[in-house]
Amino acid sequence: MKRSFVKMQGCGNDYIYFDCLEEELPQPEKWSRKLSDRHFGIGGDGIVLICPSETADAKMRMFNADGSEGKMCGNAIRCVGKYLYESGAVPKKDMWIETLSGIKRLILTTSGSQVLSVTVDMGSPILGASEIPTLFNLDTVLDHPLKVNGQEYRVTCVSMGNPHCVVFLNEVESLPIVTIGPQFENHSMFPERINTEFIHVIRRNELRMRVWERGSGETWACGTGACAAVVAAVLNGYCDEGADVTVHLNGGDLIIRDVGETVWMTGAAVKVFEGTVEL
């Protein structure tokens, strides 16, 4: 069976997109593992299925490179908006996309028939320790000590549909993330594993971020992670609520605005190439 796909990326967070509006993709967990391999597959952080929805303009399902299904991906949903608009499937600059973490609103900035950037209403951050979920015996995990591999870190935990652990450090460029990332991801305090954002505060309302995503490893960007990082930075007094915060990721910049009741994320969405694959 041959299926068409589109490779797209947002700040280097790259996925393989399948149009499932008319035809489902069987065994997506299996194909995410096989196709995401950067040596023996197409290569990517996972696959995304663009599906019909009874409650929104379309539905996004995303699978990590290890085959696990994620609830939400901020970079991927921008690319879903771009695909739907440019393909003519949803010719609207203000659209709604169903995800496992709720229905998200997208506002598209366009030039002619091309989508230049997408702003996403990422919803309200979840701060309840048990809701994220974590096993901390606390109401919220704010600048709390956590011992990882014998070293103590100060962590703030936030869910933006996906669980995140935010760690503020003096610098992140030399961080051995391949070693420390899995230790956070699989820590006993996180029953569903965790995404971890390592943050250096450059100046007020400007952050440098590296991210270890559960199921994918270090990625070039994570939209929900950037939102969680800004929420954590506001809570810890590094950034201002209601201000545009620039988050520098390995793959580019995102603009995040935490207004309290919701978090807005703005960034680019880029088509890399399209093709067909034998399944």
Side-chain angles (χ1 to χ4, degrees):
M1 175 179 65
K2 286 188 176 182
R3 285 295 298 263
S4 299
F5 69 89
V6 180
K7 179 76 178 292
M8 290 188 281
Q9 59 91 5
C11 291
N13 196 191
D14 59 334
Y15 288 89
I16 304 153
Y17 293 76
F18 289 97
D19 186 333
C20 298
L21 294 171
E22 301 293 338
E23 182 182 4
E24 294 183 3
L25 180 74
Q27 299 179 289
E29 302 90 346
K30 169 186 174 181
W31 295 117
S32 189
R33 289 192 298 270
K34 292 179 71 70
L35 299 178
S36 298
D37 191 290
R38 297 186 185 276
H39 298 286
F40 299 101
I42 297 168
D45 292 325
I47 69 171
V48 172
L49 312 186
I50 303 172
C51 308
S53 171
E54 296 181 356
T55 56
D57 292 307
K59 179 179 179 179
M60 177 182 85
R61 294 186 68 194
M62 56 86 57
F63 294 83
N64 298 307
D66 68 351
S68 60
E69 185 168 8
K71 292 183 177 180
M72 173 60 184
C73 176
N75 292 313
I77 202 170
R78 296 200 312 275
C79 292
V80 168
K82 177 183 178 71
Y83 176 86
L84 289 169
Y85 183 84
E86 292 184 356
S87 68
V90 181
K92 299 160 58 176
K93 296 182 183 180
D94 194 333
M95 65 178 69
W96 300 83
I97 305 298
E98 179 186 354
T99 75
L100 286 180
S101 66
I103 296 175
K104 307 299 182 184
R105 181 187 181 192
L106 277 59
I107 301 172
L108 281 58
T109 299
T110 64
S111 175
S113 61
Q114 300 298 306
V115 174
L116 302 180
S117 67
V118 180
T119 299
V120 185
D121 182 349
M122 298 291 284
S124 301
I126 296 169
L127 302 177
S130 61
E131 297 176 78
I132 290 171
T134 79
L135 298 180
F136 291 99
N137 189 25
L138 301 165
D139 292 332
T140 59
V141 184
L142 176 61
D143 191 33
H144 191 74
L146 176 68
K147 188 164 286 189
V148 180
N149 196 31
Q151 182 174 344
E152 185 176 283
Y153 296 86
R154 309 291 298 190
V155 304
T156 298
C157 295
V158 180
S159 173
M160 291 299 308
N162 293 328
H164 295 277
C165 175
V166 182
V167 186
F168 294 97
L169 300 171
N170 290 330
E171 66 90 25
V172 297
E173 304 306 333
S174 64
L175 182 75
I177 196 169
V178 174
T179 301
I180 195 66
Q183 295 170 346
F184 272 90
E185 176 183 353
N186 299 292
H187 196 283
S188 60
M189 295 303 291
F190 307 118
E192 295 181 8
R193 297 184 295 161
I194 201 81
N195 303 286
T196 309
E197 287 72 40
F198 300 97
I199 305 298
H200 167 57
V201 180
I202 298 173
R203 59 181 63 86
R204 196 155 196 87
N205 301 329
E206 185 176 2
L207 307 175
R208 167 69 172 111
M209 169 177 143
R210 291 180 68 188
V211 56
W212 182 271
E213 292 196 61
R214 59 177 182 172
S216 293
E218 183 177 20
T219 58
W220 278 42
C222 176
T224 59
C227 292
V230 170
V231 170
V234 169
L235 291 172
N236 283 280
Y238 298 122
C239 296
D240 299 311
E241 185 175 283
D244 284 343
V245 178
T246 301
V247 183
H248 303 291
L249 306 114
N250 285 358
D253 294 348
L254 291 174
I255 305 299
I256 310 296
R257 182 158 37 97
D258 175 11
V259 297
E261 68 275 9
T262 195
V263 181
W264 292 93
M265 174 192 65
T266 300
V270 179
K271 183 170 80 171
V272 183
F273 61 88
E274 56 188 33
T276 58
V277 61
E278 185 78 41
L279 301 179

